[in-house]
């Protein structure tokens, strides 16, 4: 079984243990989602306190956006617009179902 790893690891891991997928293909997108889940679990395991785990989650999130053709600047603009019009999640406001 394979998992997605950072590209600089190819210099330190034996080639016999490495493979590639097309970074424009659907299989790559599946590996990205698996990696996101892995990194979120590692972040949770750190009690949400390890800045390096946040960096890993963010890096995977950026890769997911790129794989789907979504521009990071567009996402940041949309985020700002949503905060202005709808607010943020910082107050812990809950809605009963």
């Amino acid at each position: 079984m394979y998992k997605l790893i950072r590209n600089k690891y190819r210099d330190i891991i034996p080639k016999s243990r490495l493979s590639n997928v097309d970074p424009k293909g659907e299989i790559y997108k599946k590996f990205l989602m698996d990696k996101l889940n892995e990194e979120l679990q590692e972040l949770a395991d750190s009690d949400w306190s390890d800045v390096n785990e946040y960096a890993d989650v963010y890096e995977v999130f950026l890769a997911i956006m790129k794989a789907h053709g979504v521009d990071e600047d567009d996402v940041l603009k949309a985020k700002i617009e949503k905060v202005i019009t709808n607010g943020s999640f910082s107050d812990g406001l809950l809605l009963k179902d």
Side-chain angles (χ1 to χ4, degrees), residues 23-92:
K24 295 182 178 159
E26 293 302 313
I27 293 171
Y28 175 64
K29 292 174 185 174
K30 183 209 176 300
F31 276 106
L32 281 170
M33 292 307 299
D34 292 345
K35 179 55 79 171
L36 181 60
N37 287 326
E38 174 189 337
E39 297 299 345
L40 284 169
Q41 185 59 57
E42 290 175 7
L43 180 58
D45 291 345
S46 80
D47 285 331
W48 305 95
S49 63
D50 188 336
V51 68
N52 290 302
E53 295 302 337
Y54 281 99
D56 289 343
V57 169
Y58 187 64
E59 180 66 27
V60 176
F61 185 66
L62 291 175
I64 290 169
M65 286 191 298
K66 183 177 180 181
H68 289 275
V70 176
D71 183 77
E72 180 182 3
D73 289 337
D74 291 342
V75 172
L76 292 174
K77 287 175 192 171
K79 180 241 186 256
I80 291 167
E81 289 173 10
K82 290 192 91 159
V83 167
I84 290 169
T85 58
N86 301 330
S88 69
F89 296 103
S90 61
D91 291 347

